[in-house]
Amino acid sequence: MTTQTTTETQAPATPKAPKALSYATLGGAVLSFASTFLAWTWTAEFPGNLTVDGYPGGLQLLTLTGALLTAVLVLGGLGIPGLRWATPGGKYASVRLMALATFATTWFTVIAIAVELGGLVNLEPGAWLAAVATALTVALSFALPREAEPTGTSGWATFAAFFKAPAPAAAKELPSWAEILLIAVAFGIGLLAFTYGIGTEGAEDFLGFLLLIGFGVAALNKSGLSRRLTGLTVKHKNVTVTAAFVSAFAFPFTQTSDAYTSVGTNILIFATVALGLNIVVGLAGLLDLGYVAFLGVGAYTAALVSGSPNSPFDVHVPFWAAVLLGALASLIFGVIIGAPTLRLHGDYLAIVTLGFGEIFRIGMQNLDGTSGPDITNGPNGIPNIPDLEMFGFNFGESHTVLGVELGRFSNYYLLMLLVTIVVVLVFRRSDQSRIGRAWVAIREDETAARAMGINAFRLKLLAFALGATLAGLAGTVQAHVTYTVTPAQYKFVESMPPNSAFLLAAVILGGMGTVSGPLIGAALLYLIPAKLQFMADYQLLLFGIALVLLMRFRPEGLVADRRKQLEFKETGQLDTPKGDIGLSKAGV
Amino acid sequence: MTTSTNPAPATTPVLDANGVIMRFGGLTAVNNVSLQVNAGEIVGLIGPNGAGKTTFFNCLTGLYVPTEGTVSYKDKVLPPRSHLVTQAGIARTFQNIRLFANMTVLENVLVGRHTRTKEGLWSALLRGPGFKKAERESHEAAMELLEFTGLAHKRDHLARNLPYGEQRKLEIARALASQPGLLLLDEPTAGMNPQETQAAQELVFAIRDQGIAVLVIEHDMRFIFNLCDRVAVLVRGEKLVEGTPDVVQADERVVAAYLGTPFEGAPGDEEVAEVRAAEAKAADGATSTTSKPRTEEEGDTE
């Protein structure tokens, strides 16, 4: 294997794999593909129906997708006309990763069948075929030449070189309608993947899905496709934003029941709040560990004026007024907390905001009539918040739109989507302005920013207050979605989002300073605990491990922001050239 | 360029630091320093390491609150708040370059324009015609400055990825973006080679020709004496001498401050010869060859 690569990689440009090897890999992929049409087990006890000969089902669909993509990448690498677009970047690294994705999902499935049903006897020949075929594909893919020389002689460096891929060449100009169509298709695929992920039934399906997505996305990165797509989205910014919202808008229409739209609604609430936090953390660089309190302020305000029979105020203001009140209350709360604490920096600010977050929760707990005035019913919170009704449209009832029945959660999902659009707009517009630049400058170097005439305290307070207002806005909707507002919903950390720790994690996991980062991060951080209920006891442990791994291997988050992208675009030169300084020292 | 070193008959002081004292606990870093900078003048501030030059700069720009004394800009006393000082019209660079490393070159300069633009959050959110006009003007002004400093072709690079000399230039461009009447440069040529130093000198003259007064701290004496109309020497927190480069260069106290005073029993010629002979005897062999190139190099670099 290695001898072959060394002879092949004489030319440093792009080593070519022997055709036979590529076709063998292709054969492996085709075999894996075929295996999904066979039965993998004999009983339907295993989630998803894997017992049918003739068509794939359940987890087999994932293997099928993986195998298909592997085949496409191999063919792209072979330069088959019509498929060359698939691998503008790494021809072989992408195949390796895609083969690994298929392998991981398939073996996970096979092992899960054996473990859950109690033994290897439960595997039908189809499963054996799938396991062997995917393993074979991986083995063959590793025989394909490396596209980069290892950086060292250590085992790790040799291994890592298998996954290094050259950057794609500049894309050919396409007519703009074709580019826009590509963006639309990409978002369509994204929506499809999201709907599949949200609709997975068992933890097995979801884990298999995560494995495929994880390795698959890495493969697409290596193949250069995602770089191409990013290029397109940057070029057609408005189209991209529109496409994103159209696919988000389409989501409830793809659902047959309200079960998964409720998940979608909660993800949207979580994601919107995370995006608000991104202004504070990602742009202005203020580490806020008590951010969920602002969501609570908005929710409590909306609950108090919602006309709930359990609210001490016997008022029922229209929703738009409740939204304004909630946002205003959060704004005031934000300024009150921000004004004294923003004189602190870094860790100190984090600790103080953490404290204020807890003070809010405990304060709400104590306004129960015994420890303080009776406003919030203490730990019981404010239940029976009525459903919204606007222009005769009751959010609590099902409506049929375009032949699709939209249940309660679909209604709230669409309302929440409006709030998300507002927050995205606020984020984007404030980021790309004098104010946003000043925030980033403060984050980068506060002393220098002040020396450039920036009133750092005032701008930090503005970021803090704006973030608080946006969270309050989301809170007013959340109060109606959940029917009940209790202090326990607004803890620093618990096993279900949104809470301060998860919000911060969503921002950091997704990518600070970006719009899509927190949205993706929030979706993952909501779905993973929700789908993997069987691991509930270890959830925080896994969460911690995941964060540590992320910080080690991808500190910029899943989506790198514009500036970080730039950092990678240039030649990886990290600091000023050292030779220059040494030379000039002699001249002084 | 150098021909225009007129002594600037204009007597209007741009900067007037009056009796500035800065104490850190028991240490008096700057002791009763007064300094004036007139319009269109380039003034140098020199002194040995630890003399309090940068501390004095920080007092001028509001990063430190002086224990005593006032700083006024065009007859207005400045509040010791850094952003208000910049707003008034004093911009500065830092000794250890402090760019916004993860912002692009253009963005760095745009940040410098912060005080000269007013568009707030609402204007940014609503994106009215006023906002667009202001952004366009800011971009044009920033690009003009980048052309001026020769960085226009690197507008979209991250500041951290610029070579050292260009980072210094960018810092100056960023400072100029705030349209200052006085520019404070803290060691602008530190770590530069002779060509770069020469270019920096041209740049400072060009800035002065735009009507901006410059106060510069520097250790490179040739640079300072070529550049400045007036030089002040700071030693142990106190102003020792102030005057034209010739006056300062000739002043014995300045030489003493840098090199130390010769003590009473200075070694005579014969003693020096004695030591040399002893050294030569001891180092007879390979060791002497290693020391030779070093002395040559020292002679080259003064």
Side-chain angles (χ1 to χ4, degrees), chain A residues 68-88:
Chain A
L68 197 63
L69 288 173
T70 314
V72 168
L73 290 175
V74 172
L75 289 173
L78 277 168
I80 300 294
L83 282 175
R84 239 172 292 177
W85 53 267
T87 52

mmCIF file of all heavy atoms in Angstrom, chain A residues 68-88:
data_model
loop_
_atom_site.group_PDB
_atom_site.id
_atom_site.type_symbol
_atom_site.label_atom_id
_atom_site.label_comp_id
_atom_site.label_asym_id
_atom_site.label_seq_id
_atom_site.Cartn_x
_atom_site.Cartn_y
_atom_site.Cartn_z
ATOM 1 N N LEU A 68 -24.173 5.623 -2.110
ATOM 2 C CA LEU A 68 -24.428 6.363 -3.346
ATOM 3 C C LEU A 68 -23.459 7.546 -3.470
ATOM 4 O O LEU A 68 -22.839 7.765 -4.521
ATOM 5 C CB LEU A 68 -25.864 6.863 -3.324
ATOM 6 C CG LEU A 68 -26.461 7.313 -4.643
ATOM 7 C CD1 LEU A 68 -26.512 6.125 -5.590
ATOM 8 C CD2 LEU A 68 -27.852 7.881 -4.430
ATOM 9 N N LEU A 69 -23.320 8.289 -2.360
ATOM 10 C CA LEU A 69 -22.421 9.456 -2.390
ATOM 11 C C LEU A 69 -20.974 9.018 -2.608
ATOM 12 O O LEU A 69 -20.212 9.676 -3.315
ATOM 13 C CB LEU A 69 -22.559 10.265 -1.105
ATOM 14 C CG LEU A 69 -23.868 11.048 -0.998
ATOM 15 C CD1 LEU A 69 -24.007 11.682 0.368
ATOM 16 C CD2 LEU A 69 -23.915 12.120 -2.073
ATOM 17 N N THR A 70 -20.594 7.889 -1.959
ATOM 18 C CA THR A 70 -19.235 7.391 -2.164
ATOM 19 C C THR A 70 -19.005 7.116 -3.650
ATOM 20 O O THR A 70 -17.981 7.508 -4.222
ATOM 21 C CB THR A 70 -19.013 6.084 -1.375
ATOM 22 O OG1 THR A 70 -19.523 6.250 -0.061
ATOM 23 C CG2 THR A 70 -17.550 5.730 -1.307
ATOM 24 N N ALA A 71 -19.984 6.445 -4.265
ATOM 25 C CA ALA A 71 -19.850 6.120 -5.682
ATOM 26 C C ALA A 71 -19.706 7.392 -6.515
ATOM 27 O O ALA A 71 -18.858 7.479 -7.409
ATOM 28 C CB ALA A 71 -21.065 5.323 -6.139
ATOM 29 N N VAL A 72 -20.531 8.393 -6.177
ATOM 30 C CA VAL A 72 -20.463 9.650 -6.935
ATOM 31 C C VAL A 72 -19.076 10.281 -6.800
ATOM 32 O O VAL A 72 -18.477 10.742 -7.780
ATOM 33 C CB VAL A 72 -21.557 10.623 -6.449
ATOM 34 C CG1 VAL A 72 -21.307 12.005 -7.019
ATOM 35 C CG2 VAL A 72 -22.925 10.128 -6.859
ATOM 36 N N LEU A 73 -18.541 10.257 -5.583
ATOM 37 C CA LEU A 73 -17.224 10.868 -5.363
ATOM 38 C C LEU A 73 -16.130 10.096 -6.102
ATOM 39 O O LEU A 73 -15.208 10.691 -6.663
ATOM 40 C CB LEU A 73 -16.922 10.942 -3.863
ATOM 41 C CG LEU A 73 -17.767 11.953 -3.074
ATOM 42 C CD1 LEU A 73 -17.479 11.846 -1.586
ATOM 43 C CD2 LEU A 73 -17.486 13.368 -3.550
ATOM 44 N N VAL A 74 -16.244 8.769 -6.078
ATOM 45 C CA VAL A 74 -15.235 7.965 -6.798
ATOM 46 C C VAL A 74 -15.286 8.300 -8.278
ATOM 47 O O VAL A 74 -14.261 8.533 -8.923
ATOM 48 C CB VAL A 74 -15.472 6.460 -6.576
ATOM 49 C CG1 VAL A 74 -14.540 5.654 -7.478
ATOM 50 C CG2 VAL A 74 -15.244 6.087 -5.132
ATOM 51 N N LEU A 75 -16.508 8.326 -8.812
ATOM 52 C CA LEU A 75 -16.648 8.625 -10.242
ATOM 53 C C LEU A 75 -16.145 10.019 -10.569
ATOM 54 O O LEU A 75 -15.513 10.236 -11.606
ATOM 55 C CB LEU A 75 -18.112 8.470 -10.660
ATOM 56 C CG LEU A 75 -18.621 7.020 -10.695
ATOM 57 C CD1 LEU A 75 -20.104 6.977 -10.950
ATOM 58 C CD2 LEU A 75 -17.862 6.228 -11.749
ATOM 59 N N GLY A 76 -16.420 10.957 -9.652
ATOM 60 C CA GLY A 76 -15.896 12.313 -9.823
ATOM 61 C C GLY A 76 -14.386 12.297 -9.881
ATOM 62 O O GLY A 76 -13.761 12.965 -10.703
ATOM 63 N N GLY A 77 -13.769 11.494 -8.999
ATOM 64 C CA GLY A 77 -12.318 11.390 -8.963
ATOM 65 C C GLY A 77 -11.778 10.776 -10.241
ATOM 66 O O GLY A 77 -10.685 11.097 -10.704
ATOM 67 N N LEU A 78 -12.558 9.855 -10.843
ATOM 68 C CA LEU A 78 -12.136 9.227 -12.086
ATOM 69 C C LEU A 78 -12.258 10.171 -13.272
ATOM 70 O O LEU A 78 -11.763 9.880 -14.353
ATOM 71 C CB LEU A 78 -12.985 7.979 -12.350
ATOM 72 C CG LEU A 78 -12.537 6.720 -11.624
ATOM 73 C CD1 LEU A 78 -13.597 5.649 -11.724
ATOM 74 C CD2 LEU A 78 -11.232 6.213 -12.212
ATOM 75 N N GLY A 79 -12.928 11.289 -13.037
ATOM 76 C CA GLY A 79 -13.070 12.250 -14.123
ATOM 77 C C GLY A 79 -14.148 11.853 -15.109
ATOM 78 O O GLY A 79 -14.068 12.193 -16.290
ATOM 79 N N ILE A 80 -15.128 11.104 -14.670
ATOM 80 C CA ILE A 80 -16.241 10.724 -15.550
ATOM 81 C C ILE A 80 -16.980 12.001 -15.944
ATOM 82 O O ILE A 80 -17.355 12.787 -15.083
ATOM 83 C CB ILE A 80 -17.211 9.786 -14.808
ATOM 84 C CG1 ILE A 80 -16.487 8.528 -14.354
ATOM 85 C CG2 ILE A 80 -18.423 9.455 -15.675
ATOM 86 C CD1 ILE A 80 -16.000 7.641 -15.466
ATOM 87 N N PRO A 81 -17.167 12.221 -17.212
ATOM 88 C CA PRO A 81 -17.852 13.453 -17.622
ATOM 89 C C PRO A 81 -19.235 13.530 -16.971
ATOM 90 O O PRO A 81 -19.934 12.535 -16.852
ATOM 91 C CB PRO A 81 -17.974 13.292 -19.140
ATOM 92 C CG PRO A 81 -16.983 12.249 -19.508
ATOM 93 C CD PRO A 81 -16.793 11.369 -18.338
ATOM 94 N N GLY A 82 -19.587 14.734 -16.533
ATOM 95 C CA GLY A 82 -20.889 14.904 -15.900
ATOM 96 C C GLY A 82 -20.830 14.744 -14.399
ATOM 97 O O GLY A 82 -21.734 15.152 -13.686
ATOM 98 N N LEU A 83 -19.768 14.130 -13.880
ATOM 99 C CA LEU A 83 -19.663 13.989 -12.424
ATOM 100 C C LEU A 83 -18.401 14.647 -11.893
ATOM 101 O O LEU A 83 -18.064 14.511 -10.736
ATOM 102 C CB LEU A 83 -19.668 12.507 -12.041
ATOM 103 C CG LEU A 83 -21.047 11.846 -12.050
ATOM 104 C CD1 LEU A 83 -20.927 10.363 -11.774
ATOM 105 C CD2 LEU A 83 -21.937 12.480 -10.991
ATOM 106 N N ARG A 84 -17.695 15.320 -12.766
ATOM 107 C CA ARG A 84 -16.427 15.910 -12.330
ATOM 108 C C ARG A 84 -16.644 17.002 -11.289
ATOM 109 O O ARG A 84 -15.784 17.289 -10.492
ATOM 110 C CB ARG A 84 -15.654 16.464 -13.529
ATOM 111 C CG ARG A 84 -14.289 15.815 -13.658
ATOM 112 C CD ARG A 84 -13.609 16.200 -14.935
ATOM 113 N NE ARG A 84 -14.280 15.648 -16.109
ATOM 114 C CZ ARG A 84 -13.912 15.893 -17.345
ATOM 115 N NH1 ARG A 84 -12.892 16.676 -17.586
ATOM 116 N NH2 ARG A 84 -14.548 15.359 -18.360
ATOM 117 N N TRP A 85 -17.846 17.604 -11.329
ATOM 118 C CA TRP A 85 -18.146 18.675 -10.370
ATOM 119 C C TRP A 85 -18.101 18.173 -8.936
ATOM 120 O O TRP A 85 -17.968 18.961 -7.997
ATOM 121 C CB TRP A 85 -19.530 19.264 -10.647
ATOM 122 C CG TRP A 85 -20.590 18.199 -10.709
ATOM 123 C CD1 TRP A 85 -21.030 17.563 -11.813
ATOM 124 C CD2 TRP A 85 -21.312 17.634 -9.608
ATOM 125 N NE1 TRP A 85 -21.985 16.628 -11.493
ATOM 126 C CE2 TRP A 85 -22.177 16.653 -10.143
ATOM 127 C CE3 TRP A 85 -21.316 17.868 -8.227
ATOM 128 C CZ2 TRP A 85 -23.029 15.905 -9.342
ATOM 129 C CZ3 TRP A 85 -22.161 17.117 -7.437
ATOM 130 C CH2 TRP A 85 -23.017 16.135 -7.985
ATOM 131 N N ALA A 86 -18.213 16.862 -8.742
ATOM 132 C CA ALA A 86 -18.352 16.339 -7.379
ATOM 133 C C ALA A 86 -17.086 16.511 -6.565
ATOM 134 O O ALA A 86 -17.134 16.629 -5.345
ATOM 135 C CB ALA A 86 -18.749 14.866 -7.426
ATOM 136 N N THR A 87 -15.923 16.503 -7.240
ATOM 137 C CA THR A 87 -14.673 16.586 -6.478
ATOM 138 C C THR A 87 -13.755 17.663 -7.038
ATOM 139 O O THR A 87 -12.717 17.369 -7.605
ATOM 140 C CB THR A 87 -13.914 15.237 -6.518
ATOM 141 O OG1 THR A 87 -13.810 14.865 -7.905
ATOM 142 C CG2 THR A 87 -14.617 14.185 -5.753
ATOM 143 N N PRO A 88 -14.134 18.923 -6.871
ATOM 144 C CA PRO A 88 -13.229 19.980 -7.314
ATOM 145 C C PRO A 88 -11.990 20.072 -6.424
ATOM 146 O O PRO A 88 -10.970 20.603 -6.839
ATOM 147 C CB PRO A 88 -14.074 21.244 -7.211
ATOM 148 C CG PRO A 88 -15.135 20.933 -6.223
ATOM 149 C CD PRO A 88 -15.366 19.450 -6.282
#
